[in-house]
Amino acid sequence: MSVRFLKNWMWCLGLLVMAACSDEEVVQDDAPVIPEQPAEIASVIDQYNADIAAMQALFEGDAEVVNYTQEESGAYRLELSDGKIATAVSRTEDDADIPLFGVNEEGYWTVQLNGESGLLTDMAGNSVPALRKTGKGVYTPQVALGEDGYWQVSLNGNQWKRLSDAPAADMTGKTSANFSLYKSVEMDGSGQLTLSLRNGEASVTVDASASSSAEAWKKFVMGSEDNVLLDYSYAGYMHGEVAPADGFAWGYKVYNVLDYGADPTGKESSREALLKILRETQFFGSKDENLGGDDGWKNRGKAANMVVYFPAGRYILHNNDDNDSGGGTNAATDEDGNNRSTTIFVSASNFIIKGDGPESTVLVMETPNLATDVNNTGSSPELIKIGQTNSPDASNMKLLASVTGDSPKGAFSVQVDNTSDITVGSWVQLRLRSHDPELVKQEVGPIPLGSNWTINGSGEDEGVKVTEFHQVKSKTATSVTFVEPIMHEVNHAYGWEIKDYKYLENVGVEDLAFEGNALDGYSHHGDDYGSADKQKLGWQYDGAYKPLVLSRVVNSWVRNVKFTSVSEAVSINESANSSAYNIVIDGTRGHSAVRSQHSTRVFIGAVKDASTGSDAKNNPCEGQFHSCGVSKPSIGTVVWNCEWGKDACFESHATQPRATLIDMCRGGLVRYRAGGAEEENPNHLADLTLWNLYVTGTSNAQGSWGTDFKWWAADDTWWKIYPPIVVGVHGASVDFTDEPDQLTYEESTGAMVTPESLYEAQLERRLGYVPAWLNAIK
């Protein structure tokens, strides 16, 4: 990239250069050829300017080192008390092509370039003060490569002065080490760091001993080259910044189910009362997402601006008498002619279901929602589904732009071929679908690739799948900037795209309880029973009582809800920036807890998974079989401050989830409880991060894996997790295996670290405070 196109350097604009040019700086007809400069030099020079400012603050005593970390290269990254992040690396030899700044004994700035050195001067030729001991006002120089190809310096960010009469040399391959200010950087045993300048004899010793945070956290804060942590602080409703208003505070019209004939005593079904409200407002549809017989669905996908209110009471929303209601002509029958159940499907934004509290308002499933196919354990319909009807994977999702440039993890922008169809403020999907064999190998890492895995397949719905839902912050003709950071590196050569995304917003379920009637003697998929009983019971164990699903929603929530004796508590599917928190799961053990499925930046917090029971062999069980976690191509999920049973595990249900933070949680770390079919392996791909997980157990009825704990093995069919990041895992003894390629990063196994919560610390760092809603549920 030519320097003429480095437009992001606002301080290098030609207008400013012209303002500072002297007569000697007029470009002649025989001007030398200006070398083409690499784009990455911009970030290197940005860091150099930060290092100059930090050096001045340290030498002046205006800042202290509050954190430091040493990188693999030997360089130190320093966090200063004034917020500056500096790089300090020893480099004795000079690079004549780079301006080298220093401070002389009198406290003035010096500069060395192209073999010449001397005092830095301003436009009038006066020496520039660096330290207050000069008795004059001090300045902090900024250096830049101008659009004219010459090194320049500014003291105010507006006027720029050339530093030499020759254009800058080719900077290809230059790193922060080439731009080092220091000839020596030495740390003694007590944490005293001595910095000696290359230009001049000045040096300073600073105290860096106060740092007590985890190394992984320090590397994240300071942007170290070997940082392994992603920024999860954007997860949740409204990017974690605020909580949703109370359901009644939105000003929406309230529909009281008692006004429509609901029975709060639990003696009669109240299902029809709910359906009357939805038919009246025409936001009701059938399980199959069609208009549904006589039901109609005129307003689907629109803003309802309504609250469905269940006052204190016990409301039956499903029993055997309800199996044929709500589906119109779409109701199915089993082999015996029994009617099958259908979902109460609502498609509306600004739609809230609200009760008087989980101990007061109870919505009941007396009998199972019958599976449409008893051979398919996952086919039982949910009781209530609120969502958009258009899948982001549908072939009719419009292609908005093709990505034309690469972006690293953590970037906010992508380069695209056009932005004419992209609207600022809208939500889109940043998407990859690829069968490239090299990319497949990168995605699975060191795990031996299974020949039958869909990630390794060539079918239309196979290969590598990455979906990130993003809100568009701004755009230019050739770039899109998102509100949130990108969680997966973007290599445009593999065919990344931006596609349309259909969604609902402001969907909430709060202050109530759901009650099912899950079978005891839990058996996953009925595998502990004979073939006849497995067929009869498997679907009941895994899916008969699924009360709630939110699908294709953004900025939505489930909070202050209890789930008793359910197969699955709640799934948030194909959604973004939604939250589920203050949730209790009790009663008889079921299949799963709270799940982010094919979703982006979902926050799952303060979930107490306390269901109990026994398995098919009468062994006691604690918590759902799969606890809180992820499934399908979810990315950026945060599972925060949750608790589950000691013979369970966080869920990681295969089909390519990535970048999941298990943060400050408590529960079992039991293999084979993550979930997922063999052909959908691995259970989890890159960037699974366990931060201060308190382990309460490592074994189930089949055995113990607390010693030499492996995250994958070549001969293991059901437990394959890309080497995770584990920091502060403590509690019950867990010794992660010494075998290579099992961990991406490990720190402080056996003892918790500071900060206690990674999500909270990242959110506080971004906002400057911990939001009140998070403090309230801590």
Side-chain angles (χ1 to χ4, degrees):
M1 178 185 293
S2 169
V3 291
R4 296 186 181 276
F5 294 96
L6 298 179
K7 301 296 187 182
N8 58 320
W9 298 4
M10 297 304 294
W11 26 263
C12 304
L13 290 176
L15 178 61
L16 303 182
V17 175
M18 292 173 61
C21 287
S22 66
D23 292 340
E24 290 75 21
E25 296 165 7
V26 176
V27 177
Q28 305 297 322
D29 292 339
D30 59 349
V33 175
I34 296 173
E36 183 174 314
Q37 301 292 353
E40 55 267 23
I41 198 65
S43 60
V44 176
I45 295 176
D46 282 344
Q47 183 60 60
Y48 188 43
N49 282 315
D51 292 342
I52 292 170
M55 180 265 285
Q56 183 182 32
L58 288 173
F59 273 62
E60 194 72 284
D62 291 338
E64 299 176 347
V65 175
V66 296
N67 257 325
Y68 80 90
T69 185
Q70 188 172 19
E71 300 182 346
E72 293 177 354
S73 64
Y76 286 90
R77 293 284 282 175
L78 310 176
E79 181 185 7
L80 275 56
S81 56
D82 61 3
K84 292 185 177 72
I85 302 296
T87 299
V89 57
S90 299
R91 184 174 174 83
T92 55
E93 66 275 15
D94 291 333
D95 193 324
D97 299 327
I98 295 173
L100 178 60
F101 289 85
V103 179
N104 67 10
E105 292 183 356
E106 288 75 31
Y108 289 91
W109 286 109
T110 62
V111 63
Q112 176 180 311
L113 179 62
N114 296 333
E116 298 181 3
S117 61
L119 290 169
L120 178 66
T121 58
D122 60 19
M123 292 292 188
N126 300 312
S127 300
V128 180
L131 304 178
R132 286 190 293 270
K133 71 179 184 177
T134 61
K136 302 176 182 179
V138 300
Y139 295 88
T140 305
Q142 299 177 61
V143 66
L145 258 177
E147 287 189 337
D148 60 355
Y150 289 76
W151 284 114
Q152 303 175 77
V153 67
S154 175
L155 303 179
N156 58 15
N158 292 317
Q159 293 179 302
W160 293 84
K161 177 182 178 180
R162 283 185 182 175
L163 286 171
S164 76
D165 294 329
D170 184 1
M171 293 290 109
T172 301
K174 303 295 185 183
T175 69
S176 58
N178 297 97
F179 285 77
S180 174
L181 294 166
Y182 305 104
K183 64 183 176 184
S184 66
V185 180
E186 299 178 352
M187 179 79 72
D188 67 16
S190 63
Q192 303 300 304
L193 184 68
T194 301
L195 308 169
S196 300
L197 290 173
R198 287 165 58 199
N199 190 348
E201 299 301 320
S203 65
V204 65
T205 299
V206 295
D207 184 0
S209 63
S211 172
S212 61
S213 301
E215 282 296 311
W217 169 248
K218 292 189 287 187
K219 290 176 184 293
F220 169 79
V221 169
M222 289 178 264
S224 296
E225 59 190 24
D226 52 351
N227 166 53
V228 296
L229 299 176
L230 296 177
D231 185 355
Y232 289 92
S233 71
Y234 289 82
Y237 174 87
M238 296 298 290
H239 302 106
E241 296 169 12
V242 296
D246 179 83
F248 291 141
W250 292 86
Y252 299 156
K253 183 175 180 179
V254 176
Y255 292 80
N256 189 324
V257 295
L258 297 181
D259 296 335
Y260 290 80
D263 176 13
T265 69
K267 296 179 180 179
E268 302 292 337
S269 173
S270 294
R271 184 182 180 106
E272 186 59 30
L274 174 58
L275 297 183
K276 283 180 181 178
I277 295 172
L278 299 176
R279 289 193 185 103
E280 178 181 309
T281 56
Q282 294 187 296
F283 285 108
F284 168 70
S286 73
K287 171 183 179 293
D288 294 328
E289 303 183 3
N290 298 318
L291 294 182
D294 297 329
D295 299 326
W297 208 352
K298 179 180 179 181
N299 291 324
R300 65 172 173 171
K302 297 180 181 179
N305 298 329
M306 61 186 289
V307 178
V308 177
Y309 172 48
F310 288 85
R314 185 176 177 85
Y315 301 89
I316 298 173
L317 293 187
H318 179 85
N319 60 23
N320 286 335
D321 293 335
D322 294 318
N323 279 346
D324 61 350
S325 69
T329 59
N330 294 299
T333 58
D334 63 15
E335 63 275 10
D336 299 321
N338 298 316
N339 289 316
R340 294 297 189 183
S341 304
T342 55
T343 295
I344 300 172
F345 198 130
V346 181
S347 182
S349 291
N350 299 352
F351 178 87
I352 298 171
I353 298 177
K354 183 174 179 61
D356 280 337
E359 301 302 325
S360 300
T361 299
V362 184
L363 310 185
V364 181
M365 298 176 69
E366 283 191 335
T367 59
N369 260 13
L370 299 178
T372 55
D373 177 5
V374 294
N375 295 307
N376 182 347
T377 60
S379 65
S380 301
E382 51 277 335
L383 173 65
I384 298 174
K385 181 177 182 179
I386 311 171
Q388 229 285 342
T389 59
N390 295 278
S391 169
D393 286 331
S395 59
N396 64 353
M397 286 294 105
K398 182 178 180 180
L399 174 64
L400 302 179
S402 296
V403 176
T404 59
D406 299 343
S407 297
K409 293 178 184 178
F412 287 81
S413 300
V414 291
Q415 299 297 311
V416 294
D417 58 353
N418 76 90
T419 59
S420 58
D421 291 329
I422 296 174
T423 303
V424 172
S426 67
W427 291 77
V428 297
Q429 48 178 323
L430 177 64
R431 176 187 177 93
L432 173 67
R433 298 293 184 271
S434 175
H435 296 96
D436 187 284
E438 289 303 315
L439 178 61
V440 172
K441 291 179 181 178
Q442 292 174 31
E443 292 296 301
V444 300
I447 303 173
L449 192 60
S451 60
N452 65 329
W453 294 357
T454 58
I455 195 173
N456 195 33
S458 58
E460 182 177 347
D461 194 37
E462 297 180 325
V464 175
K465 303 177 184 178
V466 184
T467 304
E468 294 192 23
F469 301 117
H470 284 281
Q471 188 174 22
V472 178
K473 180 179 181 179
S474 62
K475 68 176 185 177
T476 68
T478 58
S479 69
V480 178
T481 299
F482 303 122
V483 175
E484 318 86 7
I486 298 166
M487 306 298 280
H488 190 290
E489 66 274 5
V490 174
N491 184 333
H492 78 283
Y494 293 123
W496 285 81
E497 301 172 329
I498 296 179
K499 297 191 78 172
D500 198 10
Y501 172 48
K502 305 295 185 183
Y503 56 90
L504 304 177
E505 195 161 9
N506 281 350
V507 171
V509 178
E510 62 186 37
D511 300 326
L512 47 78
F514 289 97
E515 181 180 306
N517 194 19
L519 294 178
D520 198 8
Y522 183 81
S523 174
H524 192 234
H525 302 327
D527 288 342
D528 294 311
Y529 297 97
S531 58
D533 285 337
K534 176 179 178 178
Q535 185 182 56
K536 180 179 179 181
L537 297 174
W539 69 271
Q540 294 192 56
Y541 282 122
D542 291 335
Y545 297 94
K546 297 191 293 188
L548 181 64
V549 168
L550 301 189
S551 182
R552 303 156 198 162
V553 300
V554 303
N555 289 328
S556 297
W557 67 93
V558 178
R559 64 177 173 190
N560 305 329
V561 176
K562 182 167 73 171
F563 297 90
T564 300
S565 299
V566 296
S567 304
E568 300 179 4
V570 59
S571 293
I572 300 178
N573 299 341
E574 296 180 334
S575 299
N577 282 95
S578 296
S579 296
Y581 61 89
N582 263 8
I583 289 172
V584 172
I585 304 170
D586 63 8
T588 302
R589 163 178 267 192
H591 188 195
S592 63
V594 182
R595 172 191 299 141
S596 169
Q597 180 166 297
H598 201 332
S599 295
T600 303
R601 291 180 306 278
V602 167
F603 174 84
I604 301 170
V607 177
K608 183 174 179 60
D609 179 359
S611 62
T612 58
S614 59
D615 64 15
K617 299 178 181 179
N618 292 319
N619 296 302
C621 302
E622 295 183 15
Q624 302 291 85
F625 190 84
H626 311 299
S627 195
C628 299
V630 294
S631 176
K632 295 186 168 52
S634 287
I635 195 164
T637 303
V638 172
V639 180
W640 176 87
N641 195 22
C642 295
E643 182 176 351
W644 56 82
K646 67 179 182 181
D647 65 327
C649 188
F650 60 86
E651 182 175 10
S652 185
H653 221 111
T655 325
Q656 304 185 43
R658 298 170 176 84
T660 303
L661 172 61
I662 309 296
D663 186 23
M664 200 176 69
C665 292
R666 181 185 183 96
L669 185 60
V670 178
R671 294 196 295 183
Y672 310 118
R673 294 294 169 82
E678 177 186 359
E679 63 271 17
E680 299 298 342
N681 269 331
N683 303 83
H684 198 287
L685 293 173
D687 295 309
L688 172 63
T689 302
L690 277 59
W691 189 274
N692 277 339
L693 172 66
Y694 183 91
V695 179
T696 58
T698 59
S699 65
N700 59 20
Q702 281 70 50
S704 174
W705 297 279
T707 303
D708 195 31
F709 193 96
K710 295 182 181 179
W711 292 98
W712 65 269
D715 58 353
D716 191 327
T717 302
W718 304 108
W719 180 252
K720 295 184 182 296
I721 289 181
Y722 186 103
I725 299 158
V726 293
V727 179
V729 175
H730 60 295
S733 178
V734 178
D735 297 320
F736 297 115
T737 181
D738 290 331
E739 291 184 16
D741 300 327
Q742 287 288 321
L743 294 170
T744 292
Y745 181 90
E746 180 181 13
E747 181 180 351
S748 192
T749 298
M752 68 181 299
V753 298
T754 302
E756 183 180 16
S757 163
L758 180 60
Y759 174 73
E760 181 179 338
Q762 289 182 331
L763 195 56
E764 182 177 18
R765 182 170 180 266
R766 176 165 68 89
L767 301 179
Y769 59 90
V770 178
W773 73 269
L774 191 62
N775 281 326
I777 65 172
K778 191 172 181 180

